[in-house]
Amino acid sequence: MQRVAAAGLLPLLVIAGVAAILIRARSAGPIMYRATREGYKGRHFRMWKLRTMVANAEECLQRHLSAHPDAAEEWRIFGRLQDDPRIPGRIAMFVRRYSIDELPQLFNVLAGEMNLVGPRPLPLDVADGLRPSDRAQRRTMRPGMTGLWQVTGRSERSISAMGRIDSLYARQHTVALDLWILLETPVAVWRARGSY
């Protein structure tokens, strides 16, 4: 069974590998990185991602937010930027737009730190901005590679809206809802609606 699962993951890992090599050719730094996220019961874990930003991303972000008040406000509301100066070129933008950078999280799923479907694992500073009740609901389950937020608007929604959507998902979770989200995810990724 594990060999079958591994064989099924192979094409996805090949796609991620090609994307990583192309990004590495454009931007110096490691191919992948592990980011600290909040998971089940509030425990922290290290989530795998392809690196799609410059190596000094945090420094670059702070400089940009200091120089552009409108970007600082966008960051405060959404926790991300539509025109993000940290993304090094079109290949990295493409990889982010179509969620190819998320494929290494299959390792987190295999390690039992994440599920295929669940609330999206958030950076700790973004999770701190959620309403306490929404954050508590998110902590009742493992975070997911995809979820209700991803198939209902993604980055078009504010942090507070994401918190409400994830809280709703946690309260009304069913196998049927997970199956619907899994079926909707490829459509949402292909349309790239609200993704940047």
Side-chain angles (χ1 to χ4, degrees):
M1 186 67 162
Q2 288 179 334
R3 287 182 182 177
V4 172
L9 297 178
L10 188 59
L12 297 176
L13 295 176
V14 168
I15 291 169
V18 170
I21 290 166
L22 293 173
I23 291 170
R24 180 65 177 83
R26 176 80 167 90
S27 170
I31 291 175
M32 293 206 310
Y33 78 100
R34 295 178 73 190
T36 301
R37 296 290 189 262
E38 184 173 88
Y40 180 56
K41 295 186 176 179
R43 295 185 193 116
H44 294 178
F45 72 99
R46 304 275 279 168
M47 183 183 77
W48 287 99
K49 286 192 80 169
L50 288 181
R51 183 182 62 81
T52 56
M53 293 187 177
V54 294
N56 63 336
E58 189 58 35
E59 178 187 327
C60 180
L61 174 65
Q62 293 311 317
R63 275 199 318 266
H64 185 74
L65 297 182
S66 295
H68 300 90
D70 53 332
E73 180 66 7
E74 181 184 359
W75 182 262
R76 185 188 67 75
I77 294 169
F78 295 100
R80 54 203 165 269
L81 298 174
Q82 189 162 0
D83 295 314
D84 198 321
R86 299 172 295 172
I87 302 172
R90 291 183 184 167
I91 292 170
M93 288 172 63
F94 178 88
V95 166
R96 291 174 66 86
R97 186 171 183 83
Y98 292 100
S99 299
I100 296 167
D101 59 323
E102 311 287 350
L103 291 176
Q105 289 159 37
L106 290 166
F107 293 118
N108 292 109
V109 172
L110 293 173
E113 298 164 324
M114 292 177 63
N115 288 333
L116 289 177
V117 181
R120 190 75 188 119
L122 297 175
L124 303 183
D125 61 331
V126 176
D128 287 342
L130 296 173
R131 290 188 319 180
S133 58
D134 291 339
R135 192 172 188 179
Q137 282 291 334
R138 290 171 53 86
R139 288 172 166 173
T140 63
M141 52 189 12
R142 286 186 181 85
M145 286 186 67
T146 187
L148 191 57
W149 173 73
Q150 282 88 339
V151 299
T152 58
R154 293 171 86 177
S155 298
E156 292 177 345
R157 299 187 182 271
S158 67
I159 293 168
S160 59
M162 179 200 308
R164 290 192 300 273
I165 290 167
D166 286 340
S167 181
L168 175 70
Y169 168 80
R171 291 193 312 272
Q172 299 186 354
H173 175 246
T174 63
V175 172
L177 178 58
D178 280 358
L179 289 174
W180 178 79
I181 290 169
L182 284 171
L183 290 172
E184 284 294 311
T185 296
V187 176
V189 169
W190 180 255
R191 289 180 179 161
R193 178 182 160 219
S195 178
Y196 44 83

